[in-house]
Amino acid sequence: MDDRHPLDDRLPAMLRGGQRLRGIFNSIPHPAIVEMCGYAGFDFVVIDNEHGSGNLETTENMLRAARASGIAPVVRCMRHDIPRVLDMGASGVQIPMVDSAEEARDLVQQVRYPPVGRRGSAFSPRAAGYGAFPGAAHTQRSDQAIALIVMVETPQAIDKAGAIAAVPGVDAVFIGPNDLSHAMGHGSNWKAAPVQAAIERGLRAIAAAGNCGGVLALTPEDEDRCAEWGARYFATVTTSLFTQALHQAARQGRQPGSAKPLGY
């Protein structure tokens, strides 16, 4: 990897590598959080522009922070933001609510340059070093270095997970457990047995198609169970970790019934 190049080119090979990858969703729009995730040793960070409040300028600065701290950056974004996110230098895009192989093939078209796809070409954005890394070399690096991760989050998508995973150009398929649980009528209880059975079925179909399956894993037990089903791309959530740590810190030193920490 050229240390000067804005585009971190490691992610597709990481997804193909067969090893477990541990990453983290981050919806807090600040580059320092991304740096903290990198220095902590996560393999990747998902900058969450589906549920986060960051704008595109902040996203670009978060991508800079990822490059500086050595963590591969994925941006979860809506379809209309794909071109700009790629031009900012994301190593991958993670697209929600993909329900069919046809949708997946269309996303491949948006991510790849012609003749494979229809991505528009420009060398002035950050991904090409503002013109420092132009031309065919930029096109080739982008097509080889940018990962497309699609999310399956409905029962219909689980039924088609194997076909979606088999689409050339799809580098990983991530099962969104919370939306899947809601779509199945179980609300936020994605640990419900029917939801877990659907996740298992989806992950096994993705693995059978020779692709990398991903899922939310908030505990080591979650990760180990889903790894047995074929998953290799695991993510936790910054806000969950921060809130747990803050709760723990707030409780330290308190006596039962005490209104404030001891020593104050």
Side-chain angles (χ1 to χ4, degrees):
M1 181 173 65
D2 184 342
D3 289 337
R4 298 183 309 128
H5 201 291
L7 180 58
D8 185 331
D9 63 357
R10 298 172 297 159
L11 187 58
M14 291 165 63
L15 294 170
R16 293 191 298 266
Q19 302 298 314
R20 292 192 194 185
L21 300 175
R22 294 182 178 90
I24 188 162
F25 281 93
N26 176 54
S27 60
I28 302 172
H30 201 290
I33 303 297
V34 173
E35 286 184 308
M36 291 167 65
C37 295
Y39 296 142
F42 285 102
D43 296 308
F44 64 91
V45 59
V46 182
I47 299 168
D48 191 354
N49 283 7
E50 180 187 12
H51 297 295
S53 59
N55 60 26
L56 291 175
E57 181 179 359
T58 303
T59 299
E60 187 170 84
N61 285 331
M62 293 168 80
L63 291 170
R64 291 188 178 99
R67 194 70 174 92
S69 58
I71 188 170
V74 178
V75 179
R76 175 159 71 168
C77 65
M78 309 312 290
R79 287 156 176 77
H80 61 268
D81 282 332
I82 291 173
R84 298 180 73 180
V85 166
L86 294 182
D87 279 347
M88 291 175 189
S91 293
V93 288
Q94 186 157 322
I95 309 301
M97 293 292 179
V98 177
D99 283 337
S100 69
E102 290 75 18
E103 286 185 61
R105 280 191 284 269
D106 185 69
L107 289 169
V108 172
Q109 290 275 311
Q110 294 184 55
V111 170
R112 310 298 177 203
Y113 284 115
V116 175
R118 61 175 189 272
R119 179 184 172 187
S121 180
F123 305 134
S124 56
R126 178 177 177 271
Y130 313 104
F133 306 103
H138 168 69
T139 301
Q140 182 179 21
R141 184 186 183 97
S142 297
D143 281 344
Q144 294 177 351
I146 293 171
L148 171 60
I149 301 152
V150 302
M151 299 187 67
V152 296
E153 305 180 83
T154 65
Q156 296 83 0
I158 291 292
D159 290 340
K160 300 174 182 177
I164 292 169
V167 172
V170 171
D171 297 287
V173 180
F174 189 96
I175 296 177
N178 202 27
D179 281 319
L180 176 62
S181 179
H182 277 85
M184 292 178 65
H186 294 276
S188 296
N189 184 21
W190 53 273
K191 294 295 183 72
V195 181
Q196 288 294 300
I199 292 171
E200 178 179 2
R201 184 160 56 89
L203 289 174
R204 290 191 184 280
I206 294 161
N211 212 321
C212 178
V215 71
L216 203 64
L218 302 183
T219 68
E221 293 76 19
D222 288 341
E223 181 177 319
D224 287 341
R225 181 178 63 257
C226 292
E228 291 180 359
W229 300 340
R232 292 191 288 107
Y233 175 90
F234 300 99
T236 185
V237 184
T238 56
T239 50
S240 175
L241 295 178
F242 292 168
T243 300
Q244 289 176 32
L246 290 169
H247 280 163
Q248 182 179 4
R251 289 193 298 266
Q252 285 179 352
R254 287 182 184 267
Q255 293 179 340
S258 173
K260 59 184 179 181
L262 293 175
Y264 276 61

